[in-house]
Structure formats: structure tokens, C-alpha cells
């Protein structure tokens, strides 16, 4: 298994963002009442993609709010996985829903992870998700991180994502 694509967030990857997703340096803020604060930099380097780098995320009802990669080619890959660094502080369902999904057309999405509990991070951790069922052999693949805010949620510092990689085996 090798790294096929990587985005270390030293440069803005130009991904589609809605809601409070943004590129830049987190400021170590938020977590005043619930969860913990954002980091003060990326897992490596300065910048990340996260939710509201200047504090807790909004609790205004809405979403889903998405971070969607530009398409990448997995037509020659097998055993494809998504690997990235995560620092996440988020309320739990039914108040906040978060997910990671993958698509081979940008229209139909398959969930590879959803939160089921409150998540509070105080450090960067590496997460790997198998996306092979959707991505292997496909010429156009997208990954989407999402969050939805429902009524009565509490403000947490939200998502921070760094060092995103697509890993797999060449030779589908």
C-alpha cells in the first residue's frame, strides 16, 4: 500500500466548502463550555481545513454543511483507503450529525463513518477508512466531510483536518 494522493494543507487544496468550513491556521480557541479548544496549528505545518478557526462553531440549525474534495482518479487502484489527521470536538446525535462519505460521481454518496457519541479531542490522531467498495477502479472519486446542526445543540470547536491521503495498491 502506497500513498497515491496527498494534501498536507500547506497550500489550500481548493475544495468546496459550505457552512463554517475554512482553510487556514486554527487559533486554539473554542471549547469554552463544551469539548476542548481547537489546535493552534496543523498536525504538520501551520494550516488545516476546519470549522470556524476563531472559536466554537455556530449552533444555528442547518446543514448538512460539506467539505468536498476535488475529484481524484482511482481507476488503477485497489484496496483504496482514506487516511488523515483529525482533531474533532462535536456534540452527539440527535443534536449534531457528522459523517465522512465517498462518491464515484459526486451525486450518490456512501457513508464510511458517522458519529454516534460526543467526540472531544485534545490532540491530532490519524484515522484510516476503507473506501475501496466505492473508489476501486473508478476514474472519478470524491470524499466529503459533513456536519448538520439540529435544535438544542451545544457549541463545540468542531472539525480540524490535516494531512489527507488516499492510499492503495496500484494495478486494479
Amino acid at each position: 500500500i502506497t500513498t497515491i494522493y496527498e494534501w498536507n494543507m500547506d497550500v489550500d487544496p481548493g475544495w468546496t466548502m459550505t457552512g463554517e468550513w475554512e482553510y487556514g491556521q486554527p487559533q486554539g480557541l473554542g471549547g469554552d463550555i463544551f469539548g476542548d479548544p481547537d489546535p493552534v496549528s496543523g498536525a504538520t505545518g501551520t494550516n488545516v481545513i476546519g470549522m470556524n478557526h476563531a472559536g466554537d462553531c455556530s449552533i444555528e440549525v442547518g446543514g448538512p454543511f460539506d467539505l468536498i474534495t476535488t475529484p481524484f482518479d482511482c481507476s488503477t487502484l485497489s484496496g483504496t483507503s482514506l487516511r488523515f489527521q483529525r482533531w474533532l470536538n462535536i456534540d452527539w446525535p440527535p443534536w449534531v450529525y457528522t459523517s465522512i462519505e465517498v462518491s464515484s460521481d459526486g451525486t450518490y454518496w456512501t457513508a464510511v463513518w458517522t458519529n454516534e457519541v460526543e467526540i472531544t479531542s485534545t490532540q491530532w490522531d490519524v484515522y484510516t477508512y476503507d473506501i475501496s467498495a466505492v473508489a476501486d477502479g473508478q476514474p472519478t472519486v470524491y470524499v466529503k466531510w459533513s456536519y448538520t446542526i439540529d435544535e438544542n445543540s451545544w457549541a463545540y470547536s468542531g472539525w480540524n483536518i490535516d494531512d489527507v491521503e488516499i492510499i492503495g495498491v496500484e494495478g486494479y
Side-chain angles (χ1 to χ4, degrees):
I1 293 178
T2 59
T3 300
I4 309 301
Y5 300 103
E6 62 183 320
W7 301 271
N8 63 14
M9 303 306 162
D10 289 348
V11 175
D12 185 344
W15 297 346
T16 301
M17 300 180 209
T18 61
E20 291 187 284
W21 288 106
E22 61 185 347
Y23 171 81
Q25 182 175 358
Q27 299 175 23
L29 301 173
D32 296 330
I33 299 173
F34 296 99
D36 291 291
D38 283 333
V40 295
S41 67
T44 60
T46 303
N47 296 318
V48 304
I49 293 180
M51 294 166 55
N52 184 18
H53 294 318
D56 287 330
C57 59
S58 169
I59 58 170
E60 184 175 336
V61 173
F65 300 110
D66 302 326
L67 166 66
I68 304 173
T69 64
T70 49
F72 49 91
D73 184 356
C74 294
S75 60
T76 63
L77 302 182
S78 62
T80 310
S81 290
L82 165 70
R83 179 169 60 198
F84 65 97
Q85 297 259 10
R86 181 186 91 183
W87 184 307
L88 175 60
N89 284 278
I90 203 83
D91 206 352
W92 59 85
W95 301 285
V96 175
Y97 297 91
T98 57
S99 65
I100 302 168
E101 299 172 75
V102 63
S103 174
S104 61
D105 62 9
T107 301
Y108 298 100
W109 296 90
T110 300
V112 295
W113 176 83
T114 58
N115 72 312
E116 296 178 2
V117 297
E118 173 192 37
I119 298 171
T120 58
S121 298
T122 58
Q123 66 183 23
W124 287 102
D125 290 304
V126 176
Y127 288 84
T128 304
Y129 298 97
D130 181 352
I131 62 171
S132 62
V134 175
D136 283 6
Q138 297 301 312
T140 306
V141 176
Y142 303 83
V143 172
K144 172 172 66 174
W145 292 261
S146 293
Y147 69 96
T148 300
I149 306 294
D150 210 336
E151 292 182 7
N152 303 314
S153 68
W154 297 103
Y156 286 68
S157 60
W159 280 99
N160 290 280
I161 296 167
D162 198 12
D163 300 331
V164 177
E165 300 174 292
I166 301 301
I167 58 176
V169 177
E170 288 279 0
Y172 178 73

